[in-house]
Amino acid sequence: MTYIYPELNSSQINTLVNEINHYSLSNGLVMYKDLENLKNETAVAPVTLYPTILPKKSFEKAVAIQKAYNELYANILLDNTNWLDTVIKSISEFDADFTGKLYELYLKYQNDTTYKKQNKELGIFRNDFLLHENKDKTYDLKEVEFNTISVSFGALSTKVSALHSFLHESGYYKGEVKSSFDERNLEVPVSDSLANIASSIKYGVDTFETQQNIKNTIVLFVVQPNERNVFDQRLIEYELFNKYKIKAKRITIDEVEGKINKKQDSYLYYNDDVISLVYFRSCYSPNDFQSEKSWNNRLFLETSLAIKTPTLKMQLAGSKKIQQLVSSPEILEKFISDKETSNNLLNTFVKIHPLDDSAEGKYAKELINQNDSKVLDNFVLKPQREGGGNNIYKSDIYPFLKENIPDEKEWAGYILMELINAQPTKGNTILRNNQLYNVDILSELGIFGTVLIDTDTKKIEYNSYDGWLLRSKLSDSNEGGVAAGFGCVDSIALV
Ligand code: ADP
Ligand code: MG
C-alpha cells in the first residue's frame, strides 16, 4: 500500500521527537533500558513517529470477530468430550520438556483432592493478525496466533495510540507538503485496552468475592524476575487501584513458596489478604521454570480456590497445535455450531498443516522432504512454544528438521503454517533509543478479548472485546518482539 506519510523537515522532526519523549516520559510509555540496570534507568519505549495507515474495513472485521474467537476457545475448554486433553496428551509426547510438563501438572491438579477447586476461569486473550495481500491486490486479515497467557502491551497500546492522537490533533504531523495526515477525515483512534483489561480483572475479582461472600481481596501478579516491560503491567495495577480500589502484589514464581500461604479453606493468602485472582505475566516459556521448585509453585497456585488467568488447561488451549486443528472446518464446527460464525472464522485462517501420522500430516512431511525452496518459501515451522524466537522460516525448515529431529515421528510436535503475505509499509519511522530509523516496516494487529467461563454449568458468563494493539518491526526481520528488541509499539490511522 502506498499512503503518504508526513514529510517533515529536520527542525520539525526534532520538535516531534521532543514531543514524543516528553509525552512518553510523562505518561509511562517506557521500558527499562537494559536488563543489567533494571533498578532505575528507563527509556522511552520504541515507537513509530506516525500511526501506521490501515484499511478501516479490515480493522473493523478483526474487532468484530473477537467475540467469536473468545467463544471458540471458551467452548474448547467447556467441551465435555475430553478433546483438548486427548490432543494435549498426544503432543506432550513430542514436547516433553514444556507442554509435557504443563500437562503433567494439569493431571496432578485434577487428581488433587486436598483443596477445593475453582469452577470459574478468566481468560484475557490476544488474537494476532497480519494483513495478507492477495494476488488481485485486495487485502484480508489473517490470524497469526491466538494467545491465552500473559498477553502484553495492552497498557502501552493505550499510551502510544493516545500519543499519536495527540500529535495528530496538535498539528505536529503537518509538513511542508500536504499529506494524507493533513486530511481531517483520517481517524487516529485510541485503544481502550488498558481500561478494558483492568475491568476484566475486576470482573474476575467480583466473581470470586460474590461466590465466596468475601470482600477486600487482592490480585496476585506472577511476573518474570528480569522484565523490561514492567510498566505495561504496573499501569494495569494502578488502573485497578485508581478506578476500583483493588490492590495487587507482584511476585515471581520462585517467590511463591515463602510469600504465599494456602489454608484449609483452599484460599491463597498474601500475609492476611485473600487472593481472589492470580494473573500470570510469566510461566509461558521453559525459561520461566528454573527448577523443580518453580513447577511445584505453579501447581501450588493451581490447586487453590483463587481464579487463575489463565488456568493450566486454558494455557494449553493456546497451543499452536490447537490452532492448527481448529483451522479445519470439521473440527471447528464441533465448537462453533453457527454456520455464519464459523465461516467468518475460517476466512481469517491460513492453511496450517499437522506433521503427524494423519493423511494431511504425511502430505506435509512429503512436502518438506522434497526440499523445494519454491514451495518451502511459503511456510513457517512452529514448535509448541510462546514468546518469540522459536519459529523456523522458509529454506531453514528442511535442514533444521533433518539435523535436529532425524526421527520424522517426532515432527508431530510441530506445525507447518502457510506464510501470510504481509506487505511492508514505506514512509513511517521508528524511534528507538533516540535514534531514528526510516525503514520499511511490517505491522501486526492484536485484538484483546476476555471470557469468564464456568466449568460446572458449562456456561460462558462474560465475553468481551477489549481493544487493540499494533506492533511494527523492520520488514526484513522475521520476528518482532518489542521487549526482545526487534520491534516497536505503533498505533493505527484508519482510511
Ligand atoms: P510466538 O508465540 O513466539 O509469538 P508467533 O506464532 O506469534 O509465535 O510468531 C512470531 C512472529 O512470527 C509473528 O509475530 C510474525 O511476525 C511471524 N509469523 C508467525 N506466523 C506467521 C505467518 N503464518 N506468516 C507470516 N509471519 C508469521
Ligand atoms: Mg506471537
Side-chain angles (χ1 to χ4, degrees):
M1 268 172 292
T2 43
Y3 290 108
I4 304 165
Y5 286 79
E7 283 181 35
L8 307 183
N9 62 32
S10 62
S11 132
Q12 287 166 326
I13 296 262
N14 284 343
T15 306
L16 184 63
V17 169
N18 189 49
E19 287 299 321
I20 292 176
N21 286 338
H22 281 185
Y23 188 100
S24 303
L25 293 169
S26 306
N27 287 281
L29 181 49
V30 291
M31 280 184 189
Y32 272 129
K33 219 168 182 169
D34 52 50
L35 289 177
E36 285 71 48
N37 201 358
L38 278 180
K39 288 290 166 285
N40 46 39
E41 272 196 65
T42 58
V44 171
V47 294
T48 51
L49 291 193
Y50 317 112
T52 292
I53 298 174
L54 214 73
K56 189 169 181 170
K57 252 199 204 141
S58 304
F59 173 71
E60 285 175 347
K61 260 193 195 164
V63 169
I65 206 167
Q66 184 60 31
K67 285 193 183 181
Y69 266 103
N70 291 344
E71 190 187 331
L72 167 60
Y73 280 84
N75 286 344
I76 290 172
L77 290 159
L78 295 172
D79 161 69
N80 48 22
T81 67
N82 265 349
W83 180 83
L84 178 63
D85 296 46
T86 313
V87 174
I88 297 299
K89 186 171 177 214
S90 75
I91 52 169
S92 287
E93 204 186 311
F94 304 108
D95 181 31
D97 294 349
F98 194 58
T99 312
K101 289 285 267 181
L102 289 172
Y103 181 64
E104 193 188 307
L105 281 201
Y106 165 64
L107 291 180
K108 280 189 186 158
Y109 152 80
Q110 274 194 322
N111 295 329
D112 181 281
T113 49
T114 328
Y115 295 102
K116 281 190 225 136
K117 294 196 165 64
Q118 178 55 262
N119 53 314
K120 313 277 186 186
E121 300 185 17
L122 182 78
I124 298 181
F125 302 146
R126 201 189 67 221
N127 201 12
D128 291 336
F129 295 92
L130 285 169
L131 198 60
H132 178 83
E133 188 184 282
N134 298 302
K135 291 213 172 71
D136 63 0
K137 302 276 173 199
T138 55
Y139 296 93
D140 285 313
L141 271 176
K142 295 292 182 185
E143 186 192 37
V144 176
E145 68 153 345
F146 195 85
N147 300 287
T148 60
I149 181 164
S150 188
V151 302
S152 56
F153 295 112
L156 293 198
S157 178
T158 295
K159 299 295 176 188
V160 68
S161 54
L163 161 69
H164 284 155
S165 165
F166 163 75
L167 296 170
H168 178 51
E169 302 275 330
S170 309
Y172 291 107
Y173 292 155
K174 281 196 203 313
E176 282 155 4
V177 185
K178 204 167 162 54
S179 77
S180 310
F181 278 81
D182 296 342
E183 290 164 22
R184 292 217 142 214
N185 60 359
L186 197 81
E187 191 187 331
V188 181
V190 178
S191 168
D192 41 16
S193 38
L194 168 56
N196 287 341
I197 289 169
S199 109
S200 292
I201 292 175
K202 148 121 172 110
Y203 191 88
V205 170
D206 286 350
T207 300
F208 180 92
E209 293 193 347
T210 308
Q211 179 195 54
Q212 299 298 323
N213 195 18
I214 182 174
K215 281 197 166 51
N216 299 321
T217 64
I218 68 163
V219 175
L220 186 71
F221 282 49
V222 180
V223 299
Q224 294 177 330
N226 297 308
E227 174 67 83
R228 285 182 59 213
N229 195 22
V230 172
F231 309 103
D232 183 55
Q233 305 171 352
R234 299 227 63 157
L235 286 165
I236 296 174
E237 185 184 329
Y238 304 142
E239 181 89 359
L240 279 170
F241 182 77
N242 291 335
K243 257 203 193 142
Y244 310 116
K245 290 281 171 286
I246 293 173
K247 284 175 280 178
K249 293 286 176 200
R250 295 165 61 81
I251 63 167
T252 65
I253 193 68
D254 284 342
E255 288 169 337
V256 167
E257 189 189 342
K259 285 199 174 163
I260 307 296
N261 292 307
K262 187 159 53 184
K263 301 198 182 149
Q264 270 316 311
D265 55 17
S266 301
Y267 293 166
L268 294 177
Y269 289 85
Y270 187 104
N271 296 331
D272 291 331
D273 290 325
V274 173
I275 296 163
S276 48
L277 191 136
V278 184
Y279 176 52
F280 287 96
R281 292 293 293 256
S282 170
C283 299
Y284 55 84
S285 109
N287 294 340
D288 295 330
F289 298 90
Q290 288 294 324
S291 65
E292 232 8 72
K293 177 175 142 182
S294 329
W295 290 103
N296 291 339
N297 286 352
R298 178 66 188 86
L299 181 63
F300 178 87
L301 297 176
E302 192 79 0
T303 53
S304 76
L305 261 177
I307 294 179
K308 270 74 64 178
T309 300
T311 57
L312 288 164
K313 190 174 179 180
M314 188 179 269
Q315 174 174 356
L316 287 164
S319 303
K320 307 276 193 289
K321 182 68 190 172
I322 299 298
Q323 187 192 358
Q324 174 256 309
L325 287 166
V326 298
S327 71
S328 117
E330 298 76 49
I331 295 177
L332 183 65
E333 81 182 6
K334 196 174 144 56
F335 302 108
I336 297 286
S337 49
D338 181 67
K339 245 329 317 101
E340 195 187 332
T341 308
S342 63
N343 278 336
N344 289 340
L345 287 167
L346 285 169
N347 283 334
T348 63
F349 302 153
V350 294
K351 189 79 208 149
I352 311 178
H353 300 285
L355 292 172
D356 55 15
D357 283 339
S358 65
E360 207 197 331
K362 285 184 183 141
Y363 163 83
K365 283 194 267 194
E366 182 53 35
L367 208 76
I368 292 174
N369 278 321
Q370 284 168 2
N371 192 21
D372 178 349
S373 68
K374 271 203 224 76
V375 176
L376 289 181
D377 273 356
N378 297 314
F379 289 99
V380 49
L381 179 77
K382 299 187 181 183
Q384 309 301 319
R385 288 290 151 83
E386 302 299 323
N390 302 301
N391 298 340
I392 316 292
Y393 293 85
K394 301 179 180 179
S395 59
D396 292 341
I397 296 174
Y398 178 80
F400 170 83
L401 287 172
K402 284 288 157 185
E403 277 161 36
N404 299 293
I405 315 176
D407 181 0
E408 281 188 21
K409 243 193 125 31
E410 292 182 21
W411 295 9
Y414 290 74
I415 58 162
L416 186 70
M417 182 178 192
E418 234 172 54
L419 279 170
I420 301 164
N421 180 30
Q423 291 302 308
T425 301
K426 290 182 188 305
N428 208 336
T429 300
I430 293 177
L431 173 67
R432 150 185 293 280
N433 293 334
N434 268 312
Q435 299 276 336
L436 292 169
Y437 302 88
N438 188 248
V439 286
D440 293 359
I441 56 170
L442 275 181
S443 303
E444 187 165 330
L445 179 69
I447 305 288
F448 295 98
T450 297
V451 290
L452 190 128
I453 58 174
D454 185 320
T455 53
D456 285 349
T457 64
K458 304 280 177 198
K459 291 239 158 60
I460 301 175
E461 296 190 347
Y462 182 79
N463 181 353
S464 68
Y465 152 74
D466 284 346
W468 51 268
L469 158 75
L470 198 76
R471 269 174 310 167
S472 295
K473 61 176 183 179
L474 307 188
S475 69
D476 55 5
S477 76
N478 274 326
E479 302 231 352
V482 177
F486 324 104
C488 69
V489 284
D490 193 347
S491 82
I492 59 187
L494 295 170
V495 284

